[in-house]
PDB file of all heavy atoms in Angstrom:
ATOM      1  N   ILE W 117     152.771  79.004  55.272  1.00  0.00           N
ATOM      2  CA  ILE W 117     154.105  79.380  55.727  1.00  0.00           C
ATOM      3  C   ILE W 117     154.561  80.780  55.330  1.00  0.00           C
ATOM      4  O   ILE W 117     155.033  81.519  56.190  1.00  0.00           O
ATOM      5  CB  ILE W 117     155.131  78.326  55.246  1.00  0.00           C
ATOM      6  CG1 ILE W 117     154.781  76.957  55.848  1.00  0.00           C
ATOM      7  CG2 ILE W 117     156.538  78.719  55.641  1.00  0.00           C
ATOM      8  CD1 ILE W 117     154.768  76.927  57.364  1.00  0.00           C
ATOM      9  N   MET W 332     169.807  72.373  59.257  1.00  0.00           N
ATOM     10  CA  MET W 332     169.213  73.263  58.261  1.00  0.00           C
ATOM     11  C   MET W 332     167.871  72.640  57.887  1.00  0.00           C
ATOM     12  O   MET W 332     167.820  71.519  57.387  1.00  0.00           O
ATOM     13  CB  MET W 332     170.105  73.363  57.026  1.00  0.00           C
ATOM     14  CG  MET W 332     171.428  74.064  57.260  1.00  0.00           C
ATOM     15  SD  MET W 332     171.253  75.837  57.396  1.00  0.00           S
ATOM     16  CE  MET W 332     170.743  76.231  55.728  1.00  0.00           C
ATOM     17  N   VAL W 333     166.798  73.356  58.139  1.00  0.00           N
ATOM     18  CA  VAL W 333     165.464  72.804  57.892  1.00  0.00           C
ATOM     19  C   VAL W 333     165.247  72.679  56.386  1.00  0.00           C
ATOM     20  O   VAL W 333     165.340  73.670  55.656  1.00  0.00           O
ATOM     21  CB  VAL W 333     164.383  73.703  58.514  1.00  0.00           C
ATOM     22  CG1 VAL W 333     163.005  73.096  58.285  1.00  0.00           C
ATOM     23  CG2 VAL W 333     164.640  73.893  60.003  1.00  0.00           C
ATOM     24  N   PRO W 334     164.946  71.470  55.882  1.00  0.00           N
ATOM     25  CA  PRO W 334     164.859  71.283  54.434  1.00  0.00           C
ATOM     26  C   PRO W 334     163.470  71.520  53.844  1.00  0.00           C
ATOM     27  O   PRO W 334     163.336  71.641  52.634  1.00  0.00           O
ATOM     28  CB  PRO W 334     165.272  69.816  54.257  1.00  0.00           C
ATOM     29  CG  PRO W 334     164.793  69.157  55.507  1.00  0.00           C
ATOM     30  CD  PRO W 334     164.886  70.184  56.610  1.00  0.00           C
ATOM     31  N   VAL W 335     162.423  71.542  54.690  1.00  0.00           N
ATOM     32  CA  VAL W 335     161.051  71.641  54.198  1.00  0.00           C
ATOM     33  C   VAL W 335     160.243  72.536  55.137  1.00  0.00           C
ATOM     34  O   VAL W 335     160.674  72.852  56.247  1.00  0.00           O
ATOM     35  CB  VAL W 335     160.393  70.242  54.109  1.00  0.00           C
ATOM     36  CG1 VAL W 335     160.989  69.422  52.974  1.00  0.00           C
ATOM     37  CG2 VAL W 335     160.549  69.497  55.439  1.00  0.00           C
ATOM     38  N   ASP W 336     159.056  72.950  54.669  1.00  0.00           N
ATOM     39  CA  ASP W 336     158.145  73.713  55.525  1.00  0.00           C
ATOM     40  C   ASP W 336     157.337  72.757  56.385  1.00  0.00           C
ATOM     41  O   ASP W 336     157.076  71.605  55.994  1.00  0.00           O
ATOM     42  CB  ASP W 336     157.189  74.548  54.672  1.00  0.00           C
ATOM     43  CG  ASP W 336     157.898  75.682  53.947  1.00  0.00           C
ATOM     44  OD1 ASP W 336     159.000  76.051  54.387  1.00  0.00           O
ATOM     45  OD2 ASP W 336     157.359  76.180  52.947  1.00  0.00           O
ATOM     46  N   GLY W 337     156.888  73.255  57.545  1.00  0.00           N
ATOM     47  CA  GLY W 337     156.079  72.400  58.393  1.00  0.00           C
ATOM     48  C   GLY W 337     155.505  73.133  59.583  1.00  0.00           C
ATOM     49  O   GLY W 337     155.647  74.353  59.720  1.00  0.00           O
ATOM     50  N   SER W 351     167.910  83.834  56.916  1.00  0.00           N
ATOM     51  CA  SER W 351     168.171  83.519  55.514  1.00  0.00           C
ATOM     52  C   SER W 351     166.889  83.377  54.716  1.00  0.00           C
ATOM     53  O   SER W 351     166.891  83.514  53.492  1.00  0.00           O
ATOM     54  CB  SER W 351     168.980  82.220  55.410  1.00  0.00           C
ATOM     55  OG  SER W 351     168.266  81.142  55.969  1.00  0.00           O
ATOM     56  N   ALA W 352     165.777  83.109  55.403  1.00  0.00           N
ATOM     57  CA  ALA W 352     164.503  82.919  54.711  1.00  0.00           C
ATOM     58  C   ALA W 352     163.625  84.165  54.751  1.00  0.00           C
ATOM     59  O   ALA W 352     162.924  84.473  53.787  1.00  0.00           O
ATOM     60  CB  ALA W 352     163.746  81.730  55.323  1.00  0.00           C
ATOM     61  N   ILE W 384     157.431  76.268  60.928  1.00  0.00           N
ATOM     62  CA  ILE W 384     158.819  75.904  60.624  1.00  0.00           C
ATOM     63  C   ILE W 384     159.083  76.233  59.159  1.00  0.00           C
ATOM     64  O   ILE W 384     158.414  75.702  58.264  1.00  0.00           O
ATOM     65  CB  ILE W 384     159.077  74.411  60.888  1.00  0.00           C
ATOM     66  CG1 ILE W 384     158.764  74.067  62.352  1.00  0.00           C
ATOM     67  CG2 ILE W 384     160.516  74.058  60.555  1.00  0.00           C
ATOM     68  CD1 ILE W 384     159.666  74.732  63.358  1.00  0.00           C
ATOM     69  N   LEU W 385     160.059  77.112  58.928  1.00  0.00           N
ATOM     70  CA  LEU W 385     160.372  77.545  57.565  1.00  0.00           C
ATOM     71  C   LEU W 385     161.557  76.782  57.010  1.00  0.00           C
ATOM     72  O   LEU W 385     162.573  76.606  57.691  1.00  0.00           O
ATOM     73  CB  LEU W 385     160.691  79.045  57.541  1.00  0.00           C
ATOM     74  CG  LEU W 385     159.514  79.999  57.298  1.00  0.00           C
ATOM     75  CD1 LEU W 385     158.556  79.975  58.467  1.00  0.00           C
ATOM     76  CD2 LEU W 385     160.028  81.401  57.052  1.00  0.00           C
ATOM     77  N   SER W 386     161.432  76.339  55.793  1.00  0.00           N
ATOM     78  CA  SER W 386     162.577  75.699  55.139  1.00  0.00           C
ATOM     79  C   SER W 386     163.673  76.741  54.921  1.00  0.00           C
ATOM     80  O   SER W 386     163.397  77.907  54.629  1.00  0.00           O
ATOM     81  CB  SER W 386     162.153  75.093  53.798  1.00  0.00           C
ATOM     82  OG  SER W 386     161.486  76.055  53.001  1.00  0.00           O
ATOM     83  N   GLY W 387     164.910  76.304  55.073  1.00  0.00           N
ATOM     84  CA  GLY W 387     166.044  77.214  54.964  1.00  0.00           C
ATOM     85  C   GLY W 387     166.459  77.811  56.284  1.00  0.00           C
ATOM     86  O   GLY W 387     167.522  78.432  56.380  1.00  0.00           O
ATOM     87  N   ALA W 388     165.629  77.642  57.329  1.00  0.00           N
ATOM     88  CA  ALA W 388     165.980  78.163  58.649  1.00  0.00           C
ATOM     89  C   ALA W 388     167.019  77.251  59.307  1.00  0.00           C
ATOM     90  O   ALA W 388     167.194  76.090  58.931  1.00  0.00           O
ATOM     91  CB  ALA W 388     164.736  78.268  59.523  1.00  0.00           C
ATOM     92  N   LYS W 389     167.717  77.793  60.300  1.00  0.00           N
ATOM     93  CA  LYS W 389     168.727  77.043  61.048  1.00  0.00           C
ATOM     94  C   LYS W 389     168.247  76.867  62.480  1.00  0.00           C
ATOM     95  O   LYS W 389     167.800  77.825  63.105  1.00  0.00           O
ATOM     96  CB  LYS W 389     170.060  77.778  61.036  1.00  0.00           C
ATOM     97  CG  LYS W 389     170.596  78.076  59.644  1.00  0.00           C
ATOM     98  CD  LYS W 389     171.810  78.976  59.712  1.00  0.00           C
ATOM     99  CE  LYS W 389     172.267  79.378  58.320  1.00  0.00           C
ATOM    100  NZ  LYS W 389     173.415  80.312  58.348  1.00  0.00           N
ATOM    101  N   ALA W 401     154.988  71.207  53.238  1.00  0.00           N
ATOM    102  CA  ALA W 401     155.321  71.604  51.861  1.00  0.00           C
ATOM    103  C   ALA W 401     156.736  71.166  51.551  1.00  0.00           C
ATOM    104  O   ALA W 401     157.642  71.306  52.380  1.00  0.00           O
ATOM    105  CB  ALA W 401     155.183  73.117  51.679  1.00  0.00           C
ATOM    106  N   GLY W 403     159.790  70.552  48.134  1.00  0.00           N
ATOM    107  CA  GLY W 403     160.188  70.893  46.774  1.00  0.00           C
ATOM    108  C   GLY W 403     159.826  72.310  46.383  1.00  0.00           C
ATOM    109  O   GLY W 403     160.046  73.267  47.129  1.00  0.00           O
ATOM    110  N   SER W 406     157.665  74.497  48.797  1.00  0.00           N
ATOM    111  CA  SER W 406     158.199  75.053  50.038  1.00  0.00           C
ATOM    112  C   SER W 406     158.735  76.454  49.783  1.00  0.00           C
ATOM    113  O   SER W 406     159.069  76.824  48.652  1.00  0.00           O
ATOM    114  CB  SER W 406     159.311  74.152  50.589  1.00  0.00           C
ATOM    115  OG  SER W 406     160.439  74.168  49.734  1.00  0.00           O
ATOM    116  N   SER W 407     158.828  77.238  50.842  1.00  0.00           N
ATOM    117  CA  SER W 407     159.306  78.612  50.693  1.00  0.00           C
ATOM    118  C   SER W 407     160.749  78.644  50.225  1.00  0.00           C
ATOM    119  O   SER W 407     161.134  79.462  49.392  1.00  0.00           O
ATOM    120  CB  SER W 407     159.156  79.353  52.031  1.00  0.00           C
ATOM    121  OG  SER W 407     159.815  78.658  53.064  1.00  0.00           O
ATOM    122  N   TYR W 408     161.571  77.732  50.750  1.00  0.00           N
ATOM    123  CA  TYR W 408     162.970  77.697  50.332  1.00  0.00           C
ATOM    124  C   TYR W 408     163.093  77.216  48.888  1.00  0.00           C
ATOM    125  O   TYR W 408     163.928  77.700  48.130  1.00  0.00           O
ATOM    126  CB  TYR W 408     163.761  76.768  51.260  1.00  0.00           C
ATOM    127  CG  TYR W 408     165.249  76.791  51.034  1.00  0.00           C
ATOM    128  CD1 TYR W 408     166.004  77.919  51.346  1.00  0.00           C
ATOM    129  CD2 TYR W 408     165.908  75.681  50.507  1.00  0.00           C
ATOM    130  CE1 TYR W 408     167.376  77.936  51.144  1.00  0.00           C
ATOM    131  CE2 TYR W 408     167.276  75.693  50.311  1.00  0.00           C
ATOM    132  CZ  TYR W 408     168.001  76.817  50.629  1.00  0.00           C
ATOM    133  OH  TYR W 408     169.365  76.832  50.428  1.00  0.00           O
ATOM    134  N   GLY W 409     162.236  76.261  48.506  1.00  0.00           N
ATOM    135  CA  GLY W 409     162.265  75.778  47.130  1.00  0.00           C
ATOM    136  C   GLY W 409     161.899  76.860  46.142  1.00  0.00           C
ATOM    137  O   GLY W 409     162.512  76.986  45.078  1.00  0.00           O
ATOM    138  N   LYS W 410     160.891  77.672  46.490  1.00  0.00           N
ATOM    139  CA  LYS W 410     160.523  78.782  45.612  1.00  0.00           C
ATOM    140  C   LYS W 410     161.666  79.783  45.491  1.00  0.00           C
ATOM    141  O   LYS W 410     161.935  80.315  44.409  1.00  0.00           O
ATOM    142  CB  LYS W 410     159.268  79.467  46.149  1.00  0.00           C
ATOM    143  CG  LYS W 410     158.014  78.606  46.064  1.00  0.00           C
ATOM    144  CD  LYS W 410     156.810  79.338  46.640  1.00  0.00           C
ATOM    145  CE  LYS W 410     155.549  78.490  46.525  1.00  0.00           C
ATOM    146  NZ  LYS W 410     154.372  79.151  47.112  1.00  0.00           N
TER     147      LYS W 410
END
Side-chain angles (χ1 to χ4, degrees):
I117 299 301
M332 293 285 293
V333 182
V335 289
D336 291 340
S351 61
I384 302 295
L385 269 68
S386 52
K389 303 172 185 177
S406 67
S407 55
Y408 187 69
K410 292 179 179 178

